[in-house]
């Protein structure tokens, strides 16, 4: 993974056909996805359950590029090794998931993955200052985590701008997760985000049998985001 601030679209397979993850991953990549975003939920940290490291390992061979694993689980630490062994390129843990995020981020890098730090909409950014040199990505949740298809929370735009200033020249991605659409993509890109997770906005209208709508959706989100930043991939 070479670092770049160009816009990257990361479809979330939370909106894919759960009985067909392998084919869905291949389809979104063939349709222009840069990364594949994988949402792990435990029914405890968030009020929904998805899957664990065995599913991540099963889909890994179907993803040529970056497998971006978002852990919405508490505690996270006992499972870091298993998610790293599943082939995750990036493992993102929540600041709110336990008292020792510093240790969690150390464990992620120690296991050989890139380390991501996710912030819920109600979480401030003061603590991030002390973690900046330990992270490869900061994920700003623009919905409360747990479900796809929720409405974008506009108050997070100021958080994105402040994080972008705080990061400066460090090679740290800003990822946005939740409610990304053609309408909201330009707002987050202009505020400083470079990785745009999108679930419902990418998978709508398409299927493994008819994946072209995935490509149209990805291109529309990317074009809207790039127009807002002036950056072209
Ligand atoms: C929410 C997940 C997101 C979700 C985004 O808890 O972390 O990745 O799938 O879905 P949309 O794009 O539909 O808001
Ligand atoms: Zn996510």
């Amino acid at each position: 993974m070479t670092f770049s601030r160009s816009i990257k679209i990361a479809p979330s397979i939370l909106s894919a056909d759960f009985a067909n993850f392998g084919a869905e991953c291949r389809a979104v990549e063939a349709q222009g996805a840069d990364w594949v975003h994988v949402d792990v939920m435990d029914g405890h940290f968030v009020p929904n359950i998805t899957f664990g490291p065995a599913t991540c390992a099963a889909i890994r061979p179907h993803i040529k590029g970056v497998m971006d694993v978002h852990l919405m689980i508490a505690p996270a630490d006992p499972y870091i090794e298993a998610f790293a062994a599943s082939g995750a390129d990036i493992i993102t843990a929540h600041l709110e998931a336990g008292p020792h995020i510093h240790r969690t981020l150390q464990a992620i890098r120690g296991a050989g993955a890139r380390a991501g730090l996710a912030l819920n909409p109600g979480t401030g950014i003061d603590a991030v200052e002390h973690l900046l040199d330990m992270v490869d990505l900061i994920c700003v949740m623009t919905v409360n985590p747990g479900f796809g298809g929720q409405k974008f929370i506009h108050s997070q735009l100021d958080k994105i701008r402040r994080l972008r200033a705080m990061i400066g020249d460090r090679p740290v991605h800003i990822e946005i997760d939740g409610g990304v659409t053609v309408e909201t993509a330009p707002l987050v890109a202009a505020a400083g985000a470079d990785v745009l997770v999108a679930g419902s906005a990418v998978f709508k209208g398409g299927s493994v049998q008819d994946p072209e709508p995935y490509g149209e959706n990805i291109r529309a989100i990317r074009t809207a985001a790039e127009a807002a930043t002036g950056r072209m991939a």
Side-chain angles (χ1 to χ4, degrees):
M1 281 176 67
T2 336
F3 184 83
S4 153
R5 285 201 192 285
S6 64
I7 294 292
K8 289 161 285 294
I9 309 297
S12 162
I13 59 166
L14 189 62
S15 294
D17 175 0
F18 270 46
N20 226 346
F21 274 151
E24 290 278 41
C25 291
R26 295 196 304 273
V28 284
E29 280 197 332
Q31 293 295 326
D34 298 288
W35 295 5
V36 176
H37 184 83
V38 180
D39 285 310
V40 176
M41 304 187 186
D42 67 352
H44 166 73
F45 180 67
V46 289
N48 193 8
I49 301 176
T50 55
F51 47 76
T55 303
C56 293
I59 65 175
R60 173 73 266 191
H62 301 274
I63 300 171
K64 289 192 202 130
V66 172
M67 182 160 96
D68 173 34
V69 175
H70 177 193
L71 298 183
M72 288 161 275
I73 65 173
D77 293 16
Y79 305 100
I80 299 294
E81 283 287 347
F83 282 104
S86 80
D89 295 289
I90 303 171
I91 299 176
T92 296
H94 269 261
L95 178 66
E96 308 85 2
H100 294 296
I101 187 65
H102 191 283
R103 176 181 292 150
T104 305
L105 294 168
Q106 274 180 329
I108 294 171
R109 281 193 169 171
R114 306 277 171 136
L117 171 66
L119 306 174
N120 280 335
T123 300
I125 62 168
D126 287 357
V128 176
E129 196 182 334
H130 309 286
L131 301 166
L132 268 185
D133 294 321
M134 311 183 62
V135 297
D136 301 288
L137 175 149
I138 299 172
C139 174
V140 177
M141 293 303 305
T142 40
V143 299
N144 284 298
F147 303 95
Q150 301 182 79
K151 202 168 174 303
F152 183 87
I153 301 173
H154 283 262
S155 63
Q156 301 307 298
L157 289 170
D158 184 52
K159 187 190 285 185
I160 300 164
R161 280 190 285 270
R162 288 164 55 207
L163 279 170
R164 183 66 197 86
M166 191 189 272
I167 287 168
D169 291 333
R170 292 177 181 83
V172 177
H173 298 288
I174 297 184
E175 175 176 80
I176 305 306
D177 192 0
V180 170
T181 63
V182 169
E183 289 74 36
T184 57
L187 307 178
V188 299
D194 61 295
V195 185
L196 277 55
V197 174
S200 40
V202 165
F203 286 92
K204 72 172 181 198
S207 68
V208 165
Q209 290 74 31
D210 175 24
E212 270 151 34
Y214 298 167
E216 289 159 20
N217 296 335
I218 289 169
R219 281 191 294 280
I221 296 167
R222 189 193 303 284
T223 303
E226 285 175 348
T229 59
R231 291 191 300 251
M232 299 305 286

